[in-house]
Amino acid sequence: MISSNAKAYLAVTSALGLALAAAPAHAQAQAVPAEADAPFASNDIIVTAQKREQNLQDVPVAISVVSGDMLERANVNSAEQLFQRVPTLTFRKGNTNKDSALSIRGVGTISFSSGVEPSVSTVIDGVVYARTGQQTSDFLDVERIEVLRGPQGSLFGKNASAGVINIVTREPGDALGGYVDAAWYEGNEYRIRGSVGGALSNSVKASLTGFWSQYDGNGRNVFNGHKVNGYEHWGVRGKLIAEPTDALKITLIADYSKNSDNGYADSIGTVFPSAFNNAVFIPSLAPLVLNGKNKDIDNDLDPYTKDKNSGVSGQFDLDLGGATLTSITAYRHWYNFQQRDGDFRSDAPKYVNTGTASGDVRSHDRGDLKFDQFTQELRIASSNPQFFEYVAGLYYYHTKEVDFFNRTVTACTASTLPTVGGLTPCAQGSSTYTTNEGNADFTTKLTSYSAFGQGTLNFTDAFRGILGLRYTEDKVSYDFARRSTSPTAFPGVNPAFAASGSIKDHGWSGNAGLQYDVTDDVMAYGMYTRGYKGPALNVFFNMQARDTGRIDPEKSNAYEAGLKTRLFDRRLTLNLAAFYAKYNNYQANFLDIVAGQVVTRLTNAGSVSTRGVELDFNAAITDDFSLSGGFNYTDAHINRFICPTGAAVTCADAINGKPLPFAPKYKGTVTMDWRLPLNLDGFNVDLNSSLVYQSKTNFDINQNPNAFQSAYAIWDGGIRVSTADDKYSLSFIVKNITDKQFVIQRIPNGTSFMRQITPRDAERYFGVTGRVNF
């Protein structure tokens, strides 16, 4: 039930803006300060998508931009929620951060393997994050987020075959200042952030930002009464900028964050009838209500995940006159620990195990990883308008991941109790229990070298040609050893196995296109892009001899045509893009069976394609009222699926032509910002409202008919009261006003039941934030 405060707030929002309800802050939000006489929502957005500062409307690439201010107003704090603000972006949440994945235009790599890279590259202040799980912590001091849609192989490398999320944090100001804000949301969610920065001398300025956040969770473990799907996060980030001469700029950044999550829990949504389920599984789960709305669990092992992320980077920009030389050196470390209950019950084993796929066993998983990466980029970019403008450089990338994983399985193998209804119950003192476990240690290393360049030929003031090329050398190596207490497979664990090896490959990626300024405010472009994603290895806990083969590089051919316009005295930007891309040797996860339990296997799944149309807009209707948003139609589907050799699950032709997982066909967002004309002396009152719509979404490449989320729409609203000088502000927000429940992951577990993961924003809640700027 929503609180009385929230009801009062809803009445206010309805009265002021029901007819204007719009939606999650998406593309082309305000990303740079507006001039004093500019509209409430400025359309002048500067991006660094091409590794140089450019106006968004001049870049021949489809880009969505979300400002840090907009993220803060909407309580969007991580990549998990960002997909609500960018129509072509989807987020796949795993049981732990290490298993999460991002997709753009329906394309992304979803895998538990340590030997494969993501298809969507995340870049923060010029540093590539090699794993999606490294950037699932809270956003901190974000200036803007640029989402580049489609392959970006020339400038961003092999792990950008589907797109790039380019996050730019705020720079310290010249004057000493900062802010402190604190927030409370229903469900005992608290957030505190603070930052201080400014000039330390005439040539040095610095900032230090920190945050702490806590949330009890939106589910409960009925076994012990503990809350689940909550968290406690904290972190700090420091940035120092020195300009010892007019020609040299040095940027040093260091950060550390620690996440403790009491999740992510697999709650049971549906249990399908069977002899085992009817007699054992369903009764064991009582008092859980097994339906699509269930958020609770019954586990004798609480879900838990811990992450520690840290890193340092140094960027040197040297002005050479007609060009700028840039060097970015970075080191990052990531530690992840996870534990989960693999049998989803607190009373297993309750009966003698029959040895079938639905055997009655207790299964617990624990694991950790240590991930280190070092990157070095050296590039040169022309700095003055000229006939030939260019960016060129060299890039080195090395990662090392060390994993440990344990699965412990206990079964009742014999009992002296009488058999009733074909089942023999077990109890201490009258039964024999057998515990087996598998332990795996594996190390995976990836090394990459590349050279890249992109040039723009200004044939006339209005007509340009673009040509880019990147050459990449890749090496992936691994060592793997799994020990088992059983000489044969038992539920969820293969017998002992050891292997090692390495693979090498190389590839070309690039782009070519034309750009034409139809008028000063209308630009048209067409682009061809060749994408490349390096080779991979299927290194995971249950790997066996059939998994040691190479996963070939993924290659793509993409085409995009777009129109970027500024209309009505530049109060409206309206951008359109049409795209088509085909991926060969697509690297994807395939659900398979190991000793009766579902596992995932990485494979070259064959060929897939994505095509569609996208629209972004930003309209300053008046100086105090703006609308922004976007819409996309995406048809991402499997052209030809290659069933892995030896797979226990039938596939092949059955899924050809079917949609890719995590690829809704329709998605749209609209956001409204309105400075209310209340004429309050010394105060401003701003109303914001947002709406996001997403069509039916499939979650399983095998096309399980129960692994989908039906279409839904989410409506948010907020009011901000601030002093005229913006020193003090108080914001009230309601998330998911209509209390629409949805999930961002449903996983079929064999043929017996379905699991679901429910996000924070899948229920209505109310919050308030206070902020002081100084």
Side-chain angles (χ1 to χ4, degrees):
M1 295 290 295
I2 190 166
S3 69
S4 58
N5 288 337
K7 289 179 180 177
Y9 171 75
L10 278 176
V12 174
T13 12
S14 299
L16 293 175
L18 180 60
L20 300 170
H26 152 255
Q28 302 177 345
Q30 182 175 333
V32 293
E35 299 297 329
D37 58 348
F40 182 56
S42 171
N43 291 312
D44 188 20
I45 300 173
I46 304 302
V47 298
T48 53
Q50 302 279 286
K51 303 208 172 187
R52 66 174 70 198
E53 289 192 352
Q54 294 174 287
N55 191 297
L56 174 66
Q57 296 304 104
D58 297 332
V59 183
V61 176
I63 307 172
S64 299
V65 180
V66 186
S67 73
D69 289 342
M70 191 170 286
L71 296 173
E72 292 170 4
R73 287 200 304 271
N75 191 33
V76 173
N77 301 292
S78 67
E80 176 183 340
Q81 298 170 296
L82 185 61
F83 80 96
Q84 298 176 24
R85 298 300 185 264
V86 181
T88 53
L89 181 69
T90 53
F91 180 80
R92 185 265 193 196
K93 188 171 185 175
N95 292 113
T96 76
N97 286 334
K98 79 179 185 67
D99 301 324
S100 298
L102 291 160
S103 299
I104 292 178
R105 291 177 173 172
V107 177
T109 299
I110 302 169
S111 178
F112 296 100
S113 171
S114 62
V116 65
E117 295 181 286
S119 298
V120 177
S121 180
T122 300
V123 181
I124 301 181
D125 289 332
V127 178
V128 174
Y129 281 45
R131 293 288 185 269
T132 302
Q134 291 178 277
Q135 52 86 34
T136 50
S137 185
D138 292 29
F139 292 145
L140 186 59
D141 229 15
V142 171
E143 170 69 27
R144 67 183 181 275
I145 298 179
E146 306 166 5
V147 180
L148 287 69
R149 313 192 292 259
Q152 307 292 327
S154 292
L155 297 179
F156 285 95
K158 60 175 180 170
N159 60 347
S161 57
V164 174
I165 298 177
N166 185 39
I167 300 176
V168 181
T169 64
R170 296 185 177 103
E171 290 198 353
D174 294 325
L176 181 64
Y179 68 88
V180 175
D181 65 27
W184 169 87
Y185 299 94
E186 284 186 299
N188 288 331
E189 182 178 14
Y190 303 93
R191 295 184 173 275
I192 299 174
R193 294 179 304 178
S195 180
V196 61
L200 303 180
S201 69
N202 291 334
S203 60
V204 179
K205 55 185 179 179
S207 63
L208 181 65
T209 305
F211 76 93
W212 173 84
S213 57
Q214 183 269 331
Y215 172 49
D216 285 352
N218 61 2
R220 185 175 298 277
N221 187 352
V222 298
F223 171 69
N224 52 24
H226 295 168
K227 297 287 286 186
V228 295
N229 286 338
Y231 61 80
E232 182 177 16
H233 299 170
W234 68 271
V236 293
R237 182 182 183 88
K239 179 181 283 191
L240 184 145
I241 298 176
E243 298 183 77
T245 70
D246 292 340
L248 178 62
K249 179 180 179 181
I250 302 171
T251 304
L252 303 178
I253 301 173
D255 66 271
Y256 176 87
S257 64
K258 181 179 179 180
N259 296 355
S260 296
D261 299 82
N262 58 358
Y264 307 100
D266 287 332
S267 54
I268 308 303
T270 304
V271 178
F272 304 110
S274 72
F276 177 81
N277 289 343
N278 293 343
V280 179
F281 195 70
I282 295 175
S284 291
L285 291 173
L288 295 181
V289 178
L290 305 180
N291 57 31
K293 296 182 179 180
N294 175 45
K295 296 181 292 184
D296 298 333
I297 62 173
D298 179 22
N299 291 177
D300 57 321
L301 179 66
D302 278 330
Y304 178 69
T305 301
K306 179 169 65 176
D307 290 276
K308 296 179 182 179
N309 269 292
S310 58
V312 293
S313 66
Q315 177 170 333
F316 298 82
D317 297 289
L318 180 62
D319 186 352
L320 302 177
T324 300
L325 183 67
T326 298
S327 171
I328 303 177
T329 307
Y331 166 78
R332 299 207 59 82
H333 175 75
W334 173 37
Y335 171 79
N336 170 273
F337 170 83
Q338 68 277 171
Q339 70 178 32
R340 63 186 288 267
D341 190 324
D343 60 84
F344 314 106
R345 298 162 48 205
S346 62
D347 64 354
K350 193 173 182 179
Y351 295 91
V352 172
N353 184 32
T354 62
T356 66
S358 299
D360 190 27
V361 299
R362 181 176 66 207
S363 179
H364 290 169
D365 294 344
R366 292 181 176 87
D368 62 32
L369 70 83
K370 301 178 183 66
F371 185 85
D372 295 277
Q373 73 168 68
F374 175 80
T375 57
Q376 172 64 55
E377 181 174 3
L378 183 66
R379 69 173 184 262
I380 188 169
S382 58
S383 53
N384 298 319
Q386 52 193 2
F387 172 73
F388 180 63
E389 299 173 1
Y390 60 87
V391 177
L394 302 171
Y395 188 75
Y396 171 75
Y397 165 101
H398 178 77
T399 69
K400 179 182 179 181
E401 180 173 332
V402 179
D403 289 83
F404 168 77
F405 190 85
N406 166 271
R407 176 164 290 162
T408 302
V409 179
T410 299
C412 177
T413 54
S415 176
T416 59
L417 298 176
T419 299
V420 179
L423 294 172
T424 304
C426 294
Q428 294 291 337
S430 60
S431 305
T432 302
Y433 295 89
T434 301
T435 298
N436 283 300
E437 63 178 305
N439 293 281
D441 291 285
F442 43 105
T443 299
T444 312
K445 298 179 181 179
L446 289 84
T447 304
S448 178
Y449 305 85
S450 59
F452 63 90
Q454 180 170 299
T456 299
L457 299 169
N458 294 289
F459 300 121
T460 69
D461 289 343
F463 183 52
R464 293 170 287 281
I466 301 99
L467 183 65
L469 197 62
R470 189 181 192 105
Y471 175 76
T472 305
E473 289 271 3
D474 292 313
K475 179 181 180 181
V476 186
S477 62
Y478 78 100
D479 289 288
F480 179 89
R482 181 178 58 249
R483 305 169 301 283
S484 176
T485 56
S486 172
T488 59
F490 56 93
V493 181
N494 279 318
F497 177 73
S500 62
S502 66
I503 57 173
K504 292 182 179 181
D505 218 312
H506 64 273
W508 293 90
S509 55
N511 59 308
L514 296 173
Q515 178 181 357
Y516 179 64
D517 295 337
V518 181
T519 69
D520 289 343
D521 293 325
V522 178
M523 184 268 283
Y525 69 92
M527 190 73 67
Y528 162 76
T529 304
R530 172 70 169 175
Y532 165 82
K533 183 165 175 279
L537 289 165
N538 192 22
V539 186
F540 71 117
F541 169 68
N542 259 315
M543 77 178 298
Q544 49 190 322
R546 69 182 183 184
D547 298 306
T548 59
R550 62 183 277 128
I551 308 295
D552 288 329
E554 180 182 287
K555 299 178 181 179
S556 61
N557 292 294
Y559 306 86
E560 179 175 305
L563 197 66
K564 295 194 173 186
T565 69
R566 288 177 283 203
L567 307 172
F568 304 110
D569 198 25
R570 298 196 171 187
R571 282 183 171 269
L572 170 67
T573 61
L574 182 66
N575 297 339
L576 294 167
F579 63 90
Y580 170 81
K582 182 178 180 181
Y583 293 76
N584 294 312
N585 286 331
Y586 185 58
Q587 298 173 355
N589 251 4
F590 171 78
L591 294 181
D592 205 352
I593 302 293
V594 170
Q597 289 198 2
V598 174
V599 300
T600 59
R601 295 175 57 199
L602 183 68
T603 183
N604 283 124
S607 64
V608 303
S609 61
T610 179
R611 71 208 71 198
V613 179
E614 301 163 340
L615 177 150
D616 302 327
F617 69 91
N618 188 0
I621 308 298
T622 71
D623 287 356
D624 295 322
F625 181 77
S626 70
L627 291 173
S628 62
F631 172 82
N632 75 278
Y633 164 78
T634 302
D635 176 16
H637 61 261
I638 302 158
N639 292 2
R640 185 175 68 91
F641 189 84
I642 301 174
C643 199
T645 303
V649 177
T650 303
C651 51
D653 293 340
I655 63 176
N656 288 345
K658 301 295 184 179
L660 282 170
F662 302 93
K665 185 162 287 189
Y666 301 99
K667 192 174 176 186
T669 70
V670 185
T671 293
M672 177 270 292
D673 287 289
W674 185 19
R675 177 151 292 167
L676 301 179
L678 300 180
N679 297 319
L680 298 176
D681 187 27
F683 290 91
N684 292 318
V685 180
D686 301 329
L687 174 67
N688 63 81
S689 186
S690 61
L691 183 72
V692 60
Y693 169 80
Q694 179 171 299
S695 63
K696 179 180 176 180
T697 306
N698 164 56
F699 297 130
D700 178 25
I701 198 170
N702 300 76
Q703 309 300 309
N704 187 295
N706 297 288
F708 72 91
Q709 167 64 52
S710 56
Y712 66 92
I714 302 297
W715 176 26
D716 300 336
I719 291 178
R720 180 177 183 265
V721 180
S722 60
T723 56
D725 59 4
D726 205 33
K727 184 175 182 179
Y728 302 99
S729 64
L730 190 65
S731 300
F732 303 90
I733 185 173
V734 174
K735 300 285 289 184
N736 196 349
I737 293 173
T738 59
D739 200 24
K740 177 64 179 178
Q741 296 197 2
F742 64 94
V743 298
I744 55 175
Q745 171 81 305
R746 277 193 171 103
I747 314 168
N749 190 29
T751 59
S752 58
F753 64 90
M754 178 176 64
R755 301 177 286 183
Q756 70 176 35
I757 296 174
T758 305
R760 168 64 162 141
D761 292 344
E763 61 184 354
R764 178 172 51 219
Y765 64 96
F766 168 80
V768 59
T769 300
R771 181 176 177 121
V772 178
N773 295 315
F774 58 87

